[in-house]
Coordinates of all heavy atoms in Angstrom, one line a residue:
M16 N -12.7 -22.4 -1.1 CA -11.5 -21.6 -1.4 C -11.9 -20.5 -2.4 O -12.6 -20.7 -3.4 CB -10.4 -22.5 -2.0 CG -9.1 -21.8 -2.3 SD -7.9 -23.0 -2.8 CE -6.6 -22.0 -3.4
D17 N -11.4 -19.2 -2.1 CA -11.7 -18.2 -2.9 C -11.1 -18.4 -4.3 O -10.0 -18.9 -4.5 CB -11.1 -16.8 -2.4 CG -11.9 -16.4 -1.2 OD1 -13.0 -16.8 -1.0 OD2 -11.3 -15.6 -0.4
T18 N -11.8 -17.9 -5.4 CA -11.2 -18.0 -6.7 C -10.4 -16.8 -7.0 O -9.6 -16.9 -8.0 CB -12.3 -18.2 -7.8 OG1 -13.3 -17.0 -7.6 CG2 -13.1 -19.4 -7.6
Q19 N -10.7 -15.7 -6.3 CA -9.8 -14.5 -6.6 C -9.0 -14.2 -5.4 O -9.5 -13.8 -4.3 CB -10.7 -13.3 -6.9 CG -11.5 -13.5 -8.2 CD -12.4 -12.3 -8.5 OE1 -13.2 -11.9 -7.6 NE2 -12.2 -11.7 -9.7
Q20 N -7.7 -14.3 -5.6 CA -6.7 -14.0 -4.5 C -5.6 -13.2 -5.1 O -5.1 -13.4 -6.2 CB -6.1 -15.3 -4.0 CG -7.2 -16.2 -3.4 CD -6.5 -17.4 -2.7 OE1 -5.4 -17.4 -2.2 NE2 -7.2 -18.5 -2.7
V21 N -5.2 -12.1 -4.4 CA -4.2 -11.1 -4.9 C -3.1 -11.1 -3.9 O -3.4 -10.9 -2.6 CB -4.9 -9.7 -5.1 CG1 -3.8 -8.8 -5.5 CG2 -5.9 -9.8 -6.2
V22 N -1.8 -11.0 -4.3 CA -0.7 -10.8 -3.5 C -0.2 -9.4 -3.9 O 0.1 -9.2 -5.2 CB 0.4 -11.9 -3.6 CG1 1.6 -11.5 -2.8 CG2 -0.2 -13.2 -3.2
I23 N 0.0 -8.5 -3.0 CA 0.5 -7.2 -3.3 C 1.9 -7.1 -2.6 O 2.1 -7.3 -1.5 CB -0.4 -6.1 -2.7 CG1 -1.8 -6.2 -3.4 CG2 0.2 -4.7 -2.8 CD1 -2.8 -5.3 -2.7
S24 N 2.8 -6.7 -3.5 CA 4.2 -6.5 -2.9 C 4.4 -5.0 -2.6 O 4.4 -4.1 -3.4 CB 5.3 -6.9 -4.0 OG 6.6 -6.6 -3.6
G25 N 4.5 -4.7 -1.2 CA 4.8 -3.4 -0.8 C 3.6 -2.8 0.0 O 2.5 -2.7 -0.6
G26 N 3.8 -2.5 1.2 CA 2.8 -1.9 2.1 C 2.9 -0.4 2.3 O 2.7 0.1 3.4
G27 N 3.2 0.2 1.2 CA 3.1 1.7 1.2 C 1.7 2.2 0.9 O 0.8 1.4 0.8
P28 N 1.5 3.5 0.7 CA 0.2 4.0 0.4 C -0.5 3.4 -0.8 O -1.7 3.0 -0.7 CB 0.4 5.5 0.1 CG 1.7 5.8 0.8 CD 2.6 4.5 0.8
A29 N 0.2 3.1 -1.8 CA -0.4 2.5 -3.0 C -0.8 1.1 -2.7 O -2.0 0.6 -3.1 CB 0.6 2.5 -4.2
G30 N 0.0 0.3 -2.2 CA -0.3 -1.1 -1.8 C -1.5 -1.2 -0.9 O -2.3 -2.1 -1.1
L31 N -1.4 -0.4 0.2 CA -2.5 -0.5 1.2 C -3.8 0.0 0.7 O -4.8 -0.5 1.0 CB -2.1 0.3 2.4 CG -0.9 -0.3 3.2 CD1 -0.5 0.6 4.4 CD2 -1.1 -1.7 3.6
W32 N -3.8 1.1 -0.2 CA -5.0 1.5 -0.8 C -5.6 0.5 -1.7 O -6.8 0.2 -1.7 CB -4.7 2.8 -1.6 CG -6.0 3.2 -2.4 CD1 -7.1 3.9 -2.1 CD2 -6.0 2.9 -3.8 NE1 -7.9 4.0 -3.1 CE2 -7.3 3.5 -4.2 CE3 -5.2 2.3 -4.8 CZ2 -7.8 3.4 -5.5 CZ3 -5.7 2.2 -6.1 CH2 -7.0 2.8 -6.5
L33 N -4.7 -0.1 -2.4 CA -5.2 -1.2 -3.4 C -5.8 -2.3 -2.6 O -6.8 -2.9 -2.9 CB -4.1 -1.6 -4.3 CG -4.4 -2.8 -5.2 CD1 -5.6 -2.4 -6.2 CD2 -3.2 -3.1 -6.1
A34 N -5.1 -2.7 -1.5 CA -5.6 -3.8 -0.6 C -6.9 -3.6 -0.1 O -7.8 -4.4 0.0 CB -4.6 -4.1 0.4
A35 N -7.1 -2.3 0.3 CA -8.4 -1.9 1.0 C -9.5 -2.0 -0.1 O -10.7 -2.5 0.2 CB -8.3 -0.5 1.6
E36 N -9.2 -1.5 -1.3 CA -10.3 -1.5 -2.3 C -10.6 -2.9 -2.7 O -11.8 -3.2 -3.0 CB -9.8 -0.7 -3.5 CG -9.7 0.8 -3.4 CD -11.1 1.5 -3.2 OE1 -12.0 1.0 -3.8 OE2 -11.1 2.5 -2.5
L37 N -9.7 -3.8 -2.8 CA -9.9 -5.1 -3.2 C -10.7 -5.8 -2.1 O -11.7 -6.6 -2.4 CB -8.6 -5.9 -3.5 CG -7.8 -5.5 -4.8 CD1 -6.4 -6.1 -4.8 CD2 -8.5 -5.8 -6.0
R38 N -10.4 -5.6 -0.8 CA -11.1 -6.2 0.2 C -12.6 -5.7 0.3 O -13.5 -6.5 0.5 CB -10.5 -5.9 1.6 CG -9.2 -6.7 1.9 CD -9.5 -8.2 2.0 NE -10.6 -8.5 2.9 CZ -11.5 -9.4 2.7 NH1 -11.6 -10.1 1.6 NH2 -12.4 -9.7 3.7
L39 N -12.8 -4.4 0.0 CA -14.2 -3.9 -0.1 C -15.0 -4.7 -1.3 O -16.2 -4.6 -1.2 CB -14.2 -2.4 -0.4 CG -13.7 -1.6 0.8 CD1 -13.5 -0.1 0.3 CD2 -14.8 -1.6 1.9
N40 N -14.3 -5.2 -2.1 CA -15.0 -6.0 -3.3 C -14.9 -7.4 -3.0 O -15.1 -8.3 -4.0 CB -14.3 -5.6 -4.6 CG -14.8 -4.2 -5.0 OD1 -15.9 -4.0 -5.6 ND2 -14.0 -3.2 -4.8
G41 N -14.5 -7.9 -1.8 CA -14.6 -9.3 -1.4 C -13.5 -10.1 -1.9 O -13.5 -11.3 -2.0
I42 N -12.4 -9.5 -2.3 CA -11.2 -10.2 -2.9 C -10.2 -10.4 -1.7 O -9.9 -9.5 -1.0 CB -10.6 -9.5 -4.0 CG1 -11.7 -9.5 -5.2 CG2 -9.4 -10.3 -4.5 CD1 -11.2 -8.6 -6.3
T43 N -9.8 -11.7 -1.6 CA -8.8 -12.0 -0.6 C -7.4 -11.4 -1.0 O -6.9 -11.6 -2.1 CB -8.6 -13.5 -0.4 OG1 -9.9 -14.0 0.0 CG2 -7.6 -13.9 0.7
V44 N -6.8 -10.6 0.0 CA -5.5 -9.9 -0.3 C -4.4 -10.3 0.7 O -4.7 -10.4 1.9 CB -5.7 -8.4 -0.3 CG1 -4.4 -7.7 -0.6 CG2 -6.8 -8.0 -1.3
T45 N -3.2 -10.5 0.2 CA -2.1 -10.7 1.1 C -1.1 -9.6 0.7 O -0.7 -9.4 -0.5 CB -1.4 -12.1 1.0 OG1 -2.4 -13.1 1.3 CG2 -0.3 -12.2 1.9
V46 N -0.7 -8.7 1.7 CA 0.3 -7.7 1.5 C 1.6 -8.2 2.0 O 1.7 -8.6 3.2 CB -0.1 -6.3 2.1 CG1 1.0 -5.3 1.9 CG2 -1.4 -5.9 1.5
I47 N 2.6 -8.2 1.2 CA 4.0 -8.5 1.6 C 4.8 -7.3 1.6 O 5.0 -6.6 0.7 CB 4.6 -9.6 0.6 CG1 3.7 -10.8 0.6 CG2 6.0 -9.9 1.0 CD1 4.2 -11.8 -0.5
E48 N 5.4 -7.0 2.9 CA 6.2 -5.8 3.1 C 7.6 -6.3 3.6 O 7.7 -7.0 4.6 CB 5.5 -4.9 4.1 CG 6.4 -3.7 4.7 CD 6.9 -2.8 3.5 OE1 6.1 -2.4 2.7 OE2 8.2 -2.6 3.5
E49 N 8.6 -5.7 2.9 CA 10.0 -6.1 3.2 C 10.5 -5.5 4.5 O 11.4 -6.1 5.2 CB 10.9 -6.0 2.1 CG 11.2 -4.5 1.8 CD 12.2 -4.4 0.6 OE1 12.7 -5.3 0.1 OE2 12.5 -3.2 0.2
R50 N 10.0 -4.3 4.8 CA 10.4 -3.7 6.0 C 9.9 -4.4 7.3 O 8.8 -4.9 7.3 CB 10.0 -2.2 6.1 CG 10.5 -1.3 5.0 CD 10.1 0.1 5.2 NE 10.8 0.6 6.4 CZ 12.0 1.3 6.3 NH1 12.6 1.4 5.1 NH2 12.6 1.7 7.4
T51 N 10.8 -4.5 8.3 CA 10.3 -5.2 9.5 C 10.1 -4.2 10.6 O 9.6 -4.5 11.7 CB 11.5 -6.1 10.0 OG1 12.6 -5.4 10.1 CG2 11.7 -7.3 9.0
E52 N 10.4 -2.9 10.4 CA 10.1 -1.8 11.3 C 9.5 -0.6 10.6 O 9.7 -0.4 9.5 CB 11.4 -1.4 12.0 CG 12.0 -2.5 12.9 CD 13.4 -2.1 13.5 OE1 13.8 -1.0 13.3 OE2 13.9 -3.0 14.2
V53 N 8.8 0.2 11.4 CA 8.2 1.4 10.9 C 9.3 2.4 10.6 O 10.2 2.6 11.4 CB 7.2 1.9 11.9 CG1 6.7 3.4 11.4 CG2 6.0 1.0 12.1
D54 N 9.2 3.0 9.4 CA 10.1 4.1 9.0 C 9.8 5.3 9.8 O 8.7 5.9 9.7 CB 10.1 4.4 7.5 CG 11.2 5.3 7.1 OD1 11.8 5.9 7.9 OD2 11.4 5.3 5.8
Q55 N 10.6 5.9 10.7 CA 10.4 7.0 11.5 C 10.5 8.3 10.8 O 10.1 9.3 11.2 CB 11.3 7.0 12.7 CG 11.2 5.8 13.6 CD 9.8 5.6 14.2 OE1 9.1 6.6 14.4 NE2 9.4 4.4 14.4
R56 N 11.0 8.3 9.6 CA 11.1 9.5 8.8 C 9.8 9.9 8.1 O 9.1 8.9 7.6 CB 12.2 9.4 7.7 CG 13.5 9.1 8.2 CD 14.5 8.8 7.0 NE 13.9 7.5 6.4 CZ 14.5 7.0 5.4 NH1 15.5 7.5 4.7 NH2 14.0 5.8 4.9
S57 N 9.4 11.2 8.2 CA 8.2 11.5 7.5 C 8.3 11.5 6.1 O 9.3 12.2 5.5 CB 7.7 12.9 8.1 OG 6.6 13.4 7.3
K58 N 7.3 10.9 5.3 CA 7.3 11.0 3.9 C 6.0 11.7 3.4 O 5.6 11.5 2.3 CB 7.5 9.6 3.3 CG 8.8 9.0 3.5 CD 8.8 7.6 3.2 CE 8.5 7.2 1.8 NZ 8.5 5.7 1.5
A59 N 5.4 12.4 4.4 CA 4.1 13.1 4.0 C 4.0 14.3 4.8 O 3.2 14.5 5.7 CB 2.9 12.2 4.2
L60 N 4.9 15.3 4.5 CA 4.9 16.6 5.3 C 3.8 17.5 4.9 O 3.3 18.3 5.7 CB 6.3 17.3 5.1 CG 7.5 16.5 5.5 CD1 8.8 17.2 5.1 CD2 7.5 16.3 7.0
T61 N 3.3 17.3 3.7 CA 2.2 18.1 3.2 C 1.5 17.4 2.1 O 1.9 16.3 1.7 CB 2.7 19.5 2.6 OG1 1.6 20.3 2.2 CG2 3.6 19.2 1.4
V62 N 0.3 17.8 1.8 CA -0.5 17.2 0.7 C -0.4 17.9 -0.5 O -0.7 19.1 -0.6 CB -2.0 17.1 1.1 CG1 -2.8 16.5 0.0 CG2 -2.1 16.3 2.4
H63 N 0.2 17.3 -1.6 CA 0.3 17.9 -2.9 C -0.9 17.7 -3.8 O -1.5 16.7 -3.8 CB 1.6 17.4 -3.6 CG 2.8 17.6 -2.8 ND1 3.4 18.9 -2.7 CD2 3.6 16.8 -2.2 CE1 4.5 18.8 -2.0 NE2 4.7 17.5 -1.6
P64 N -1.3 18.7 -4.5 CA -2.4 18.5 -5.5 C -1.9 17.7 -6.7 O -0.6 17.6 -6.9 CB -2.7 19.9 -5.9 CG -1.5 20.8 -5.8 CD -0.9 20.1 -4.5
R65 N -2.9 17.2 -7.5 CA -2.4 16.4 -8.7 C -1.7 17.3 -9.6 O -2.0 18.5 -9.8 CB -3.7 15.9 -9.3 CG -4.3 14.8 -8.6 CD -5.5 14.2 -9.4 NE -5.1 13.7 -10.7 CZ -5.9 13.1 -11.5 NH1 -7.1 12.8 -11.2 NH2 -5.5 12.7 -12.7
G66 N -0.6 16.8 -10.2 CA 0.1 17.6 -11.2 C -0.4 17.6 -12.6 O -0.1 18.5 -13.4
V67 N -1.4 16.7 -12.9 CA -2.0 16.6 -14.2 C -3.5 16.7 -14.1 O -4.1 16.1 -13.2 CB -1.6 15.3 -14.9 CG1 -2.2 15.3 -16.3 CG2 -0.1 15.1 -14.9
Ligands
LIG7 C1 11.8 12.2 2.2 C2 10.3 12.1 1.6 C3 9.4 13.0 1.8 C4 8.2 13.0 1.1 N1 7.3 14.0 1.4 C5 6.1 13.9 0.8 C6 5.0 14.9 1.1 O1 5.3 15.8 1.9 N2 3.9 14.8 0.5 C7 3.6 13.8 -0.4 O2 2.5 13.8 -1.0 N3 4.5 12.9 -0.7 C8 5.8 12.9 -0.1 N4 6.7 12.0 -0.4 C9 6.3 11.0 -1.4 C10 5.5 9.8 -0.8 O3 6.0 9.3 0.3 C11 5.4 8.8 -1.9 O4 4.7 9.3 -3.1 C12 4.6 7.6 -1.5 O5 5.1 7.0 -0.3 C13 4.6 6.6 -2.6 O6 3.8 5.5 -2.1 P1 4.0 4.1 -2.8 O7 3.1 3.1 -2.1 O8 4.0 4.2 -4.3 O9 5.6 3.7 -2.4 P2 6.3 3.6 -1.1 O10 5.8 4.5 0.0 O11 7.8 3.6 -1.4 O12 5.9 2.1 -0.6 C14 6.5 0.9 -1.2 C15 6.7 -0.1 -0.1 O13 7.0 -1.3 -0.8 C16 8.1 -2.0 0.0 N5 8.8 -2.8 -0.9 C17 9.6 -2.4 -1.9 N6 10.1 -3.5 -2.6 C18 9.5 -4.6 -1.9 C19 9.7 -5.9 -2.2 N7 10.4 -6.4 -3.2 N8 9.0 -6.8 -1.4 C20 8.3 -6.4 -0.3 N9 8.1 -5.0 -0.1 C21 8.7 -4.2 -0.9 C22 8.8 -0.8 0.7 O14 9.5 -1.2 1.8 C23 7.7 0.2 0.9 O15 7.2 0.1 2.2 C24 7.9 12.0 0.2 C25 8.9 11.0 -0.1 C26 10.1 11.0 0.6 C27 11.2 10.0 0.3

């Protein structure tokens, strides 16, 4: 059994990015997403530069 296991709440960009980074480092990840269907509205019409 793995000693390092992470549960991530939310399968948005932040949650999925974190999950990918953790998996690349051999950590077992479970992502829990409350939505049951794909949101058809676009939330990424353009790429914004960092504000800071
Ligand atoms: C209309 C709109 C247009 C946008 N356009 C752009 C754009 O053009 N360019 C740009 O760079 N950004 C844009 N954004 C912003 C961009 O979508 C967000 O910055 C980005 O989605 C944030 O990612 P996140 O992972 O932090 O949160 P989210 O994308 O909100 O993901 C969070 C996830 O967690 C899930 N969740 C929440 N609570 C729970 C819970 N208790 N249990 C399980 N799951 C849960 C939600 O269902 C969701 O899927 C836009 C946003 C909106 C609303």
Side-chain angles (χ1 to χ4, degrees):
M16 183 172 168
D17 289 340
T18 54
Q19 293 181 306
Q20 299 183 29
V21 175
V22 176
I23 297 173
S24 175
L31 293 178
W32 169 80
L33 178 58
E36 290 291 331
L37 291 170
R38 283 299 301 138
L39 287 173
N40 285 279
I42 297 171
T43 300
V44 181
T45 301
V46 178
I47 299 173
E48 169 55 52
E49 69 179 356
R50 296 187 70 91
T51 58
E52 297 177 359
V53 174
D54 189 345
Q55 300 297 331
R56 299 168 299 175
S57 174
K58 290 167 62 181
L60 301 173
T61 186
V62 177
H63 297 290
R65 287 182 61 172
V67 182

